[in-house]
Amino acid sequence: MVHANRILLLVASAVAYAFAFPPHGWWPLALLSVGVLAGLLHGARPMHGLMTGYWWGMIAFGTGLSWLWQLFGPFSLLLWGILAVFPAAFGWLICLAQQRGVTAGWRLAFFTAVAWTGTEFVRCEVMPLKFPWMHLGLALEPWPLVSTVGVYGLGFVCMLTLAAALFRAKAGWVAFGVLMIVQIDTLVVSKRTPGQSQIKVVAVQAEGAATGTYMSLAKEGAADDTELIVWPEYTIPIDVRNVARSELEKVQAFAKERGALLVFGTQTRLEGPKWQNTALTIDGTNVLGEHGKNHTVHFFNDGEHGKTALPVVTPLGRIGTPICFDCDFQDVVRRMTLEGAEFFAVPSMDAASWSERQHIMHSQLFRVRAAENRRSMVVAASSGVSQIIDSHGRAMKSLGALKTGILSGAIERQTDLTFYTRLGWLIPWVALGVLVMWTALLLGFVKRRTRN
């Protein structure tokens, strides 16, 4: 009976974790879920911790990322299994540490935090099949402290205070309570009226349309004083500078007519058959700049990786133009911000066939990048979710998934750098380094005991 109850608790906590993310967004469930997982690991053998973490991950990812079945069918079972390896490693590490004398208090809480953050960061940003969705800090929208410690650092702080409370560290419940007060206060702040905005923008949402359709939609929705128009990724899926020059001339004539800058998705031909997914920034006369997509999408023909992340200098200021999947990871937006980007215009594409739920989940990643770096964003997605995001990561306006239309509003320019942008992004790397060294010491201790 006890064994059956533990299995039911494991399943319930894993499902609850999935519901902490969009479209539901019930963030307290994320804390409850990882708290239950940590409790199930307390005092267990390493192999038991490995299996507990694996099945927790398999159920959590299988539930939260069930839409992967629509893209990959039975192959998605393998994908969920790969993602589950990392909570499995977390479970093994926690049980190993307890077996080797790290049994209670702040020491165990700190190890739990570095084990969670280190394994999660490898899954999200380090391994070849990196997948930065459904990590703990991301669930806590609107992300208290995120402009200081980043979203991975927020996950570390949450796990540290939660583990301290669970493992009876002195003042553990006080620390966790303070964090929850900060979270609730951030929720209240997120509902306050935004500051005065400066740049009038329009995002067009349409998938696979002709160039004329994008122009018509923009004309219908753009006011005369619109300064920036953004179209989706792959708006013109051919090299407009070298192969389809007439398309570029048509688009520039439109930009000149509107008196606005235009950012849109196209391609750049490289050597031989190679090409690069590109965001092009133009006015009525010139190509002002470009960005080659750094993070191409796994398992899809998405071109060659871009290597630079620089803003485009324009009359409106320095514009960062990352493309879609670039914003899933912490590096591109941060590097552009360090190079002087004052706001962001993001062409994006989530195919309509990928499901509404996938679109809604993906939209959260743009908001967290804005919040980390305190930069406004306008996102034009092919079939949603297009957003106008303020510098605190709040979606001031959005156009839902699987719709065609336009989104108009205004965004701010910012020049100051957050602590996260300067140094806070190093927190998960430090946690990973501490984890590797601490684990090496634990394994070394096992070997010494065996020799003796």
Side-chain angles (χ1 to χ4, degrees):
M1 176 62 80
V2 174
H3 185 64
N5 289 339
R6 288 175 65 88
I7 291 175
L8 288 174
L9 193 58
L10 174 69
V11 172
S13 69
V15 172
Y17 189 76
F19 278 79
F21 297 90
H24 308 287
W26 301 335
W27 63 266
L29 291 180
L31 300 175
L32 177 64
S33 177
V34 297
V36 169
L37 176 61
L40 290 172
L41 296 171
H42 194 57
R45 297 189 304 274
M47 187 54 64
H48 176 80
L50 181 79
M51 296 308 298
T52 298
Y54 180 83
W55 284 111
W56 182 92
M58 193 70 178
I59 296 166
F61 294 125
T63 304
L65 304 173
S66 58
W67 48 265
L68 283 175
W69 189 271
Q70 294 181 234
L71 278 70
F72 302 112
F75 182 62
S76 57
L77 293 170
L78 175 60
L79 297 178
W80 297 329
I82 292 172
L83 298 179
V85 165
F86 298 93
F90 167 76
W92 181 80
L93 287 164
I94 295 303
C95 295
L96 175 68
Q98 292 177 90
Q99 188 182 72
R100 297 302 155 196
V102 185
T103 56
W106 281 104
R107 191 162 173 248
L108 179 56
F110 185 73
F111 184 83
T112 301
V114 297
W116 180 269
T117 304
T119 55
E120 192 174 58
F121 187 61
V122 172
R123 169 177 72 84
C124 294
E125 303 260 358
V126 179
M127 74 161 177
L129 187 65
K130 45 193 172 184
F131 191 80
W133 298 40
M134 286 187 67
H135 57 84
L136 178 57
L138 192 61
L140 301 179
E141 188 173 2
W143 310 293
L145 310 177
V146 76
S147 64
T148 302
V149 300
V151 72
Y152 296 108
L154 178 59
F156 174 86
V157 172
C158 286
M159 184 58 86
L160 175 64
T161 57
L162 181 61
L166 291 172
F167 300 143
R168 301 176 184 177
K170 291 182 179 179
W173 281 109
V174 174
F176 183 69
V178 169
L179 181 63
M180 291 302 96
I181 290 171
V182 173
Q183 167 72 359
I184 293 168
D185 181 65
T186 306
L187 287 167
V188 174
V189 171
S190 72
K191 296 178 181 178
R192 294 176 185 167
T193 304
Q196 184 177 3
S197 299
Q198 300 174 348
I199 300 170
K200 301 290 181 64
V201 299
V202 163
V204 175
Q205 182 168 300
E207 184 169 319
T211 306
T213 301
Y214 292 105
M215 292 190 291
S216 297
L217 287 168
K219 286 179 181 178
E220 291 173 9
D224 292 338
D225 60 350
T226 297
E227 299 168 275
L228 174 64
I229 299 170
V230 187
W231 291 347
E233 182 182 10
Y234 289 120
T235 294
I236 307 176
I238 192 170
D239 189 336
V240 295
R241 287 173 290 179
N242 298 307
V243 179
R245 188 73 189 180
S246 61
E247 287 294 293
L248 178 59
E249 292 171 355
K250 185 192 304 182
V251 172
Q252 284 188 305
F254 167 76
K256 187 173 184 178
E257 175 192 344
R258 303 302 304 180
L261 300 186
L262 179 62
V263 177
F264 66 98
T266 183
Q267 293 182 3
T268 300
R269 283 289 166 190
L270 305 176
E271 295 180 2
K274 295 181 179 179
W275 58 279
Q276 192 169 82
N277 189 339
T278 304
L280 210 60
T281 304
I282 67 168
D283 61 13
T285 306
N286 301 302
V287 173
L288 302 177
E290 66 179 286
H291 168 71
K293 190 175 187 179
N294 284 201
H295 294 284
T296 55
V297 180
H298 313 314
F299 310 120
F300 290 89
N301 183 14
D302 202 18
E304 300 295 315
H305 295 278
K307 295 181 174 59
T308 61
L310 300 171
V312 178
V313 179
T314 78
L316 298 179
R318 293 177 178 266
I319 308 176
T321 59
I323 303 170
C324 191
F325 208 46
D326 282 341
C327 295
D328 288 23
F329 305 91
Q330 56 83 25
D331 61 325
V332 175
V333 173
R334 178 182 55 79
R335 287 161 56 201
M336 286 183 171
T337 303
L338 278 173
E339 293 292 340
E342 299 167 283
F343 59 95
F344 287 83
V346 185
S348 181
M349 192 198 84
D350 288 292
S353 60
W354 294 355
S355 83
E356 181 179 16
R357 186 176 180 185
Q358 183 274 340
H359 289 57
I360 295 171
M361 288 189 75
H362 192 198
S363 67
Q364 188 180 44
L365 289 155
F366 300 97
R367 298 194 294 273
V368 77
R369 299 286 91 90
E372 285 175 329
N373 298 280
R374 288 289 186 257
R375 290 295 186 270
S376 300
M377 281 189 178
V378 51
V379 181
S382 59
S383 57
V385 175
S386 296
Q387 303 175 86
I388 295 174
I389 306 167
D390 76 0
S391 59
H392 294 276
R394 299 173 291 193
M396 308 312 296
K397 291 187 177 180
S398 63
L399 183 59
L402 311 183
K403 297 178 181 178
T404 297
I406 64 98
L407 193 64
S408 62
I411 57 176
E412 302 170 317
R413 290 173 57 183
Q414 301 281 353
T415 56
D416 57 312
L417 297 179
T418 66
F419 181 80
Y420 164 78
T421 306
R422 295 176 185 273
L423 292 171
W425 63 275
L426 291 169
I427 290 173
W429 288 105
V430 172
L432 179 58
V434 171
L435 176 63
V436 170
M437 290 187 290
W438 201 335
T439 302
L441 288 172
L442 292 171
L443 293 174
F445 178 65
V446 171
K447 291 177 182 178
R448 286 196 298 272
R449 286 194 62 179
T450 301
R451 286 198 299 270
N452 290 337

